[in-house]
Amino acid sequence: MASLRVDVVTLFPELFEPFLRTSVVGRAVEVGRIEVAVHDLRGWAHDRHRTVDDTPYGGGPGMVMKPEPLVEAIEALAGPRGPGRSAHVVLLSPQGRRLDQAGLERLAARERLVLVCGRYEGVDQRVIELAVDEELSIGDYVLSGGEVPAMAVIEGVARLVPGVLGNPESAGTESFQAGLLEGPQYTRPPVFAGLVVPEVLRSGDHAAVAEWRARRARELTRRRRPDLLGEAGTESERTAPTSGSGEDES
Ligand code: 4GX
């Protein structure tokens, strides 16, 4: 049975507790498809005040995470950097390469991950050079720490470990609408606040439903996220206008 071991290094281990007990991630942990251990970085601090940060050389606002506790934590969990290392070490950082579904699939294929959560203005550059294999960002916005990004990684990989979702083969990008946005979804009642569920979805014609969904996915992706379509997305989608929020109409 495929499984994944994740070690998290953080100053706020308690943030992970309800997250790891709940929903898809909680189930994945419960059935042993993914094993997560959360470590308090202060356990690797050297002084009785358990100091993990210091002022930046060159001046400037805020604090920087000291190298000694971080490198010791990472090496304790993954071994020294290099080919014999037992885990792939990821630092969550706005300076990282942007995480996408293909990136999650690469991470989910590993046996062991160490996720390092930075706080303050970031980490001493020597930590990155000596101990980190890869820097990843979850998006171009600024958070206060790497904990929420680490949870995004854990949730994203958990649903890719085989057997975690109800779906046996693929929860990921090889599903039929690979790389497209999902079109609109409906459930009962058939009329709500005067808005009706499209007739085709209630027709029982599975081929027509599949065709309608594929078309709506293409339209939505072309309008809202043309970057996901690459060059193929520059040709026109021939269709009647669709109603929506209108926020992306132009
Ligand atoms: N996607 N942040 C990390 C502190 C920090 C800065 C530099 C390491 C290096 C973020 C993001 C993000 C804020 C988490 C700064 N740690 N991380 N933190 N967006 O904004 O990943």
Side-chain angles (χ1 to χ4, degrees):
M1 174 174 89
S3 79
L4 174 67
R5 155 88 186 207
V6 182
D7 288 284
V8 179
V9 178
T10 173
L11 289 170
F12 298 99
E14 66 277 15
L15 283 177
F16 289 84
E17 285 165 18
F19 171 74
L20 293 172
R21 277 192 271 108
T22 305
S23 189
V24 172
V25 170
R27 207 167 318 125
V29 169
E30 201 167 288
V31 303
R33 296 301 177 127
I34 159 167
E35 184 185 356
V36 185
V38 183
H39 308 272
D40 187 341
L41 177 62
R42 289 194 199 276
W44 282 278
H46 289 188
D47 62 323
R48 66 188 185 86
H49 295 115
R50 303 205 298 166
T51 309
V52 294
D53 61 337
D54 203 344
T55 54
Y57 273 118
M63 299 293 272
V64 173
M65 295 178 81
K66 293 167 63 60
E68 303 91 330
L70 272 171
V71 169
E72 284 176 34
I74 294 168
E75 290 187 347
L77 296 168
R81 197 174 159 173
R85 181 167 248 192
S86 63
H88 184 66
V89 177
V90 174
L91 175 68
L92 289 312
S93 160
Q95 278 78 50
R97 197 166 47 80
R98 177 86 75 80
L99 183 62
D100 59 13
Q101 192 62 29
L104 281 180
E105 285 176 5
R106 280 189 305 102
L107 295 177
R110 301 266 180 182
E111 286 182 14
R112 294 193 52 190
L113 298 173
V114 173
L115 303 181
V116 181
C117 305
R119 282 265 156 177
Y120 317 116
E121 305 308 308
V123 310
D124 186 299
Q125 183 62 26
R126 293 165 293 184
V127 174
I128 298 169
E129 291 177 21
L130 290 169
V132 169
D133 295 313
E134 182 175 25
E135 291 173 82
L136 290 177
S137 166
I138 64 160
D140 295 336
Y141 39 81
V142 182
L143 304 172
S144 299
E147 287 77 12
V148 164
M151 289 186 228
V153 169
I154 292 168
E155 188 161 301
V157 297
R159 47 193 305 294
L160 294 175
V161 176
V164 166
L165 287 185
N167 180 352
E169 324 133 5
S170 174
T173 53
E174 63 259 36
S175 69
F176 130 83
Q177 284 172 5
L180 297 183
L181 300 182
E182 280 273 13
Q185 313 249 38
Y186 297 88
T187 186
R188 288 179 286 186
V191 183
F192 175 73
L195 301 178
V196 301
V197 174
E199 170 62 31
V200 60
L201 297 180
R202 291 176 291 131
S203 69
D205 181 341
H206 299 299
V209 167
E211 199 180 325
W212 183 88
R213 285 185 172 151
R215 172 171 286 265
R216 293 298 300 260
R218 283 195 310 270
E219 287 168 18
L220 187 68
T221 307
R222 202 180 111 64
R223 287 182 186 183
R224 211 169 279 178
R225 291 295 309 279
D227 58 295
L228 296 179
L229 294 169
E231 292 303 293
T234 55
E235 61 197 282
S236 70
E237 190 73 56
R238 285 133 99 32
T239 179
T242 52
S243 63
S245 67
E247 64 182 319
D248 55 1
E249 302 294 342
S250 61

